[in-house]
Amino acid sequence: MGSKPRSGAKNCSCGIHKLGLVAIVLALFTALYSYLNARLDQFYIFEPEYLHDLSQRAISTHGNDTKAVVSFIVDELDQRETGAYVNKDQEWVFNNAGGAMGAMYVIHASITEYLIIFGTAIGTEGHTGRHTADDYFNILQGTQLAYVPGEFEPEVYPQGSVHHLRRGEVKQYKMESSCFALEYARGWIPPMLFFGYADTFTSTLDFPTLWATTRITAREMISNLFRLKL
């Protein structure tokens, strides 16, 4: 009589097959990531230089009337070819991230870019996060301070300037009083959401705000995917 295969041998064989499948999926994902990462510039619809110029023109026109500055920016973006990708409804929600608290209005969100108004009327301070995207912080009102270890003086970003936080870098930042900015990030946006959500689970437990943020961001990302905007 022939002997039956042992269950241990079967389990070992199944485990090897599963590991092989995981390795194949990981290799395909890595190849796809490398391919897309080398071509990210093809997916961007906003330019940092233009957004900085737009911010300066809005400030020049409306000064410290930040509400009017924001409307100026959104109206011009809506009138350009980017208009189809712009959320004109000012759905303001709180944002807690890295210990800092403010409010944001999502103008655009997609897989490779986001454009928001972020700020607070009373000041805040926190950790920038270490991100998978370049972040351009165009100061519309007030002043932002930033600090990196080893320096003995702060970086100072007044109204009309732009603070460029490069991908992978990290800083401490502070908005001493009222400060609002047009914030533009370009790179891989979904991994940044973990930083944006962390304070909810470790500190605020503000799940209605988490839901509002998720609903707006997901709606914009998905609608832009349907427009073939990665």
Side-chain angles (χ1 to χ4, degrees):
M1 284 181 68
S3 60
K4 294 181 179 179
R6 291 179 296 176
S7 60
K10 283 186 177 180
N11 291 338
C12 182
S13 177
C14 288
I16 291 173
H17 287 311
K18 288 179 180 178
L19 285 174
L21 182 59
V22 168
I24 291 172
V25 171
L26 184 60
L28 290 173
F29 176 81
T30 301
L32 178 62
Y33 170 80
S34 298
Y35 177 82
L36 293 175
N37 195 55
R39 294 161 177 79
L40 276 178
D41 286 349
Q42 299 176 15
F43 303 111
Y44 300 143
I45 60 173
F46 300 104
E47 290 298 330
E49 297 78 12
Y50 164 71
L51 293 173
H52 187 208
D53 175 69
L54 174 58
S55 298
Q56 290 181 318
R57 286 189 286 108
I59 294 167
S60 177
T61 303
H62 296 288
N64 287 321
D65 185 349
T66 310
K67 184 176 181 179
V69 167
V70 171
S71 295
F72 182 99
I73 291 170
V74 175
D75 287 346
E76 180 164 317
L77 291 173
D78 183 44
Q79 292 167 11
R80 292 168 58 89
E81 63 275 10
T82 53
Y85 307 97
V86 169
N87 172 30
K88 296 183 288 292
D89 296 327
Q90 293 198 28
E91 303 165 287
W92 287 91
V93 293
F94 273 127
N95 177 260
N96 290 81
M101 183 174 185
M104 69 176 180
Y105 153 37
V106 178
I107 299 173
H108 172 87
S110 60
I111 301 299
T112 58
E113 294 174 290
Y114 78 63
L115 185 65
I116 68 173
I117 302 294
F118 173 79
T120 172
I122 60 175
T124 192
E125 179 180 4
H127 190 291
T128 61
R130 195 182 299 274
H131 299 302
T132 52
D134 282 272
D135 188 271
Y136 299 84
F137 211 72
N138 294 275
I139 309 298
L140 303 178
Q141 185 226 320
T143 300
Q144 185 195 52
L145 304 177
Y147 170 74
V148 293
E151 297 296 328
F152 294 95
E153 296 293 335
E155 299 174 6
V156 181
Y157 299 97
Q159 183 184 45
S161 65
V162 58
H163 178 192
H164 179 196
L165 182 71
R166 291 173 176 78
R167 186 194 299 205
E169 291 185 352
V170 64
K171 297 180 183 180
Q172 176 189 10
Y173 77 95
K174 183 177 185 179
M175 301 148 83
E176 290 187 311
S177 57
S178 181
C179 184
F180 287 85
L182 176 69
E183 182 179 359
Y184 171 56
R186 51 162 43 190
W188 294 109
I189 304 305
M192 299 178 70
L193 298 177
F194 295 105
F195 175 75
Y197 287 166
D199 277 17
T200 298
F201 296 100
T202 61
S203 177
T204 68
L205 302 181
D206 183 4
F207 295 108
T209 292
L210 177 69
W211 165 243
T213 301
T214 303
R215 175 179 57 80
I216 294 168
T217 304
R219 182 195 68 207
E220 295 303 309
M221 283 188 169
I222 292 170
S223 66
N224 284 316
L225 279 175
F226 278 119
R227 297 184 183 99
L228 302 181
K229 167 63 178 77
L230 193 62

